[in-house]
């Protein structure tokens, strides 16, 4: 076993997988799109799952071990010492958890503010539940724009309904890690406009050297907000359903209104895996983060060498690279209606057709997304080199 979890599996081994990343496209396509990682499970997580299978421990989840593990991890890693287990609820996954929390604080027809370009289901899941999406686009630097946020909060509340804000902390797809000052600014605006904040912190453990994650609920003024956490992205457990909704002290009464059936969604094996990841797999995570840091730098070299017209600002967190391909001039043919994560247009369509590399299409991330692709670099260096080389070759051959 190497010390870098990203270097343990060969392409042939990965191609045996049956998950979305590996089965959406034909076998000749290198998939660097949906946020699944090309890693094995952290050994302690795999052992906990194996023990449960061996014992037939596959009943219903019980107890607060998951919340305790997240709370202890938050305390050790982020010096956030007041994640109270009593103010948490088990939810099936982060997105369904976000929808359920939004139901607690908004009604149908009310507004939910988001910061495009942002994770595509932020639009679809909110809209499917009868809420109106109001956009406060990120600034040109890919960071939160507090003026745009204030304007969106005012616009969202103008018709008199309730307003919520679905914050992506850290931000997908730009990999921006919001600073404490930015988040204090958010909290101040949320208070001023009476907006309830729901912070999606699924990528929180994936912070690369040079940045520091700030849990939104640790920020003064955020006491009436909610956060959602899970081990799904950092330990590659998306298929093992479980996540945690966390309420600030002034949101605890709201969280208690969460309907009982929501807690029936997560699976017992999911809870076991997510608990073990937070409890005992921090050293595995640290090795992963070193590998991701190497890959984020390797990608910069590869883009400079093979795709000089593409602009890439390395992310501060996540394993997602947001590549500005507008200078390539690929045609964008975008369908009507809400995009789903696998939709393709513009440069992502072009690279799939001409380079046999699957990337996430920028347009699904909303305003500011067209002309971009999102590349998932949680893979081996061999696959990363091959993918970007293919993309560069396809560009040169097309001239
Ligand atoms: C910001 C963000 N939120 C939520 C999710 C999905 O999480 P879950 O599978 O727990 O719903 C993802 C997946 O990539 C994501 O990037």
């Amino acid at each position: 076993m190497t010390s870098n979890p990203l270097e343990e599996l060969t392409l042939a081994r990965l191609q045996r997988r049956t998950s979305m990343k590996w089965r959406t496209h034909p076998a000749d396509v290198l998939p660097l799109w949906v946020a699944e990682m090309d890693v094995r499970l952290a050994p302690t997580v795999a052992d906990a799952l194996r023990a449960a299978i061996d014992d037939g421990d596959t009943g219903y989840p019980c107890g607060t071990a998951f919340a305790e593990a997240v709370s202890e991890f938050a305390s050790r890693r982020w010096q956030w010492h007041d994640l109270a287990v009593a103010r948490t609820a088990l939810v099936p996954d982060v997105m369904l958890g976000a929808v359920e929390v939004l139901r607690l604080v908004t009604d149908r027809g009310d507004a939910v503010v988001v910061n495009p370009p942002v994770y595509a289901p932020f639009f679809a899941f909110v809209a499917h539940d009868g809420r109106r999406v109001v956009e406060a686009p990120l600034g040109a630097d890919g960071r939160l724009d507090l003026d745009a946020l204030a304007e969106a909060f005012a616009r969202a509340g103008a018709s008199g309904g309730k307003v919520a804000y679905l914050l992506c902390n850290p931000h997908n797809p730009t990999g921006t890690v919001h600073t404490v000052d930015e988040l204090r600014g958010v909290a101040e605006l949320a208070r001023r406009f009476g907006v309830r904040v729901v912070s999606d912190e699924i990528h929180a453990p994936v912070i690369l050297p040079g940045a520091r994650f700030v849990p939104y609920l640790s920020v003064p003024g955020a006491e009436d907000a909610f956060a959602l956490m899970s081990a799904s992205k950092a330990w590659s457990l998306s298929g093992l359903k479980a996540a945690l909704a966390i309420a600030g002290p002034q949101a605890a009464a709201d969280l208690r209104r969460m309907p009982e059936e929501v807690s029936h969604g997560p699976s017992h094996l999911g809870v076991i895996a997510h608990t073990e990841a937070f409890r005992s797999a921090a050293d595995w995570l640290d090795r992963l983060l070193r590998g991701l840091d190497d890959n984020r730098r390797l990608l910069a070299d590869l883009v400079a060498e093979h795709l000089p017209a593409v602009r890439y600002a390395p992310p501060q967190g996540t394993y997602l690279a947001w590549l500005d391909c507008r200078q390539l001039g690929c045609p964008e043919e975008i369908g009507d209606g809400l995009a789903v994560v696998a939709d393709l247009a513009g440069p992502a369509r072009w690279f799939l057709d001409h380079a046999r590399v699957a990337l996430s299409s920028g347009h699904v991330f909303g305003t500011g997304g067209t002309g971009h692709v999102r590349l998932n670099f949680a893979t081996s260096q061999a696959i990363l080199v091959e993918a970007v080389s293919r993309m560069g070759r396809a560009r040169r051959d097309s001239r």
Side-chain angles (χ1 to χ4, degrees):
M1 190 179 82
T2 72
S3 65
N4 179 353
L6 296 164
E7 298 295 338
E8 288 178 1
L9 295 169
T10 61
L11 179 59
R13 189 76 195 265
L14 288 162
Q15 284 171 331
R16 285 167 29 186
R17 288 187 173 181
T18 55
S19 62
M20 184 186 283
K21 183 179 187 185
W22 289 92
R23 287 298 164 94
T24 298
H25 299 286
D28 66 319
V29 171
L30 280 181
L32 282 78
W33 65 292
V34 68
E36 298 178 14
M37 291 198 287
D38 295 347
V39 294
R40 293 194 142 101
L41 293 189
T44 54
V45 175
D47 288 347
L49 287 168
R50 250 182 242 113
I53 301 274
D54 287 347
D55 293 343
D57 182 13
T58 49
Y60 298 110
C62 177
T64 55
F66 180 25
E68 283 156 28
V70 176
S71 175
E72 283 158 24
F73 182 90
S75 183
R76 283 194 305 272
R77 197 117 180 148
W78 305 313
Q79 291 69 54
W80 178 29
H81 304 299
D82 44 278
L83 194 174
V85 169
R87 282 189 268 110
T88 64
L90 200 53
V91 293
D93 58 32
V94 165
M95 280 317 299
L96 292 179
V99 168
E100 292 295 343
V101 170
L102 289 170
R103 280 186 180 160
L104 299 174
V105 293
T106 59
D107 296 312
R108 293 181 78 77
D110 285 341
V112 178
V113 176
V114 303
N115 301 120
V118 72
Y119 182 56
F122 274 30
F123 298 93
F125 284 41
V126 165
H128 293 161
D129 202 34
R131 272 69 178 160
R132 270 182 307 125
V133 176
V134 173
E135 298 193 350
L138 295 179
D141 56 358
R143 304 205 69 89
L144 291 175
D145 177 342
L146 293 182
D147 293 334
L149 196 60
E151 187 276 322
F153 284 176
R155 190 158 34 96
S159 50
K162 296 176 195 147
V163 180
Y165 170 40
L166 187 51
L167 170 70
C168 194
N169 179 34
H171 195 88
N172 170 5
T174 55
T176 310
V177 178
H178 310 304
T179 65
V180 69
D181 287 342
E182 288 168 328
L183 295 177
R184 275 176 189 267
V186 168
E188 197 268 314
L189 288 178
R191 288 284 174 180
R192 183 165 5 129
F193 288 93
V195 170
R196 300 298 294 277
V197 181
V198 180
S199 184
D200 174 341
E201 305 195 337
I202 196 168
H203 292 280
V206 192
I207 304 299
L208 300 174
R212 196 173 82 80
F213 170 70
V214 179
Y216 183 68
L217 291 178
S218 71
V219 170
E223 296 79 8
D224 67 347
F226 301 85
L228 290 144
M229 288 210 178
S230 128
S232 135
K233 296 298 117 184
W235 287 275
S236 211
L237 300 175
S238 330
L240 287 164
K241 291 284 180 184
L244 199 65
I246 308 161
Q250 293 166 15
D254 290 315
L255 192 63
R256 279 196 293 275
R257 291 189 286 108
M258 180 95 88
E260 185 196 349
E261 59 267 28
V262 179
S263 70
H264 288 222
S267 82
H268 183 41
L269 287 179
V271 174
I272 288 171
H274 286 245
T275 304
E276 202 57 41
F278 280 105
R279 182 154 60 199
S280 68
D283 69 321
W284 182 93
L285 175 66
D286 288 333
R287 288 190 280 118
L288 172 80
L289 294 177
R290 283 196 287 279
L292 291 176
D293 185 29
D294 290 345
N295 283 8
R296 115 180 123 158
R297 273 183 278 113
L298 172 63
L299 183 60
D301 295 342
L302 292 170
V303 168
E305 181 185 346
H306 297 285
L307 297 165
V310 169
R311 289 220 309 277
Y312 163 53
Q316 300 178 293
T318 79
Y319 34 84
L320 308 168
W322 185 235
L323 302 179
D324 180 348
C325 302
R326 283 175 293 183
Q327 285 187 35
L328 302 182
C330 302
E332 294 269 358
E333 281 160 32
I334 298 169
D336 294 337
L338 288 168
V340 299
V341 289
D343 282 354
L344 287 170
R349 172 92 258 162
W350 195 92
F351 283 121
L352 179 67
D353 291 344
H354 296 87
R356 308 306 282 157
V357 174
L359 306 161
S360 297
S361 187
H363 80 285
V364 307
F365 299 87
T367 301
T370 54
H372 294 70
V373 296
R374 193 193 71 177
L375 181 152
N376 171 356
F377 58 83
T379 189
S380 69
Q381 297 214 335
I383 291 177
L384 198 54
V385 168
E386 172 63 16
V388 184
S389 307
R390 279 193 199 180
M391 290 161 69
R393 228 172 9 251
R395 288 307 301 171
R396 287 191 296 278
D397 292 350
S398 73
R399 285 198 203 113

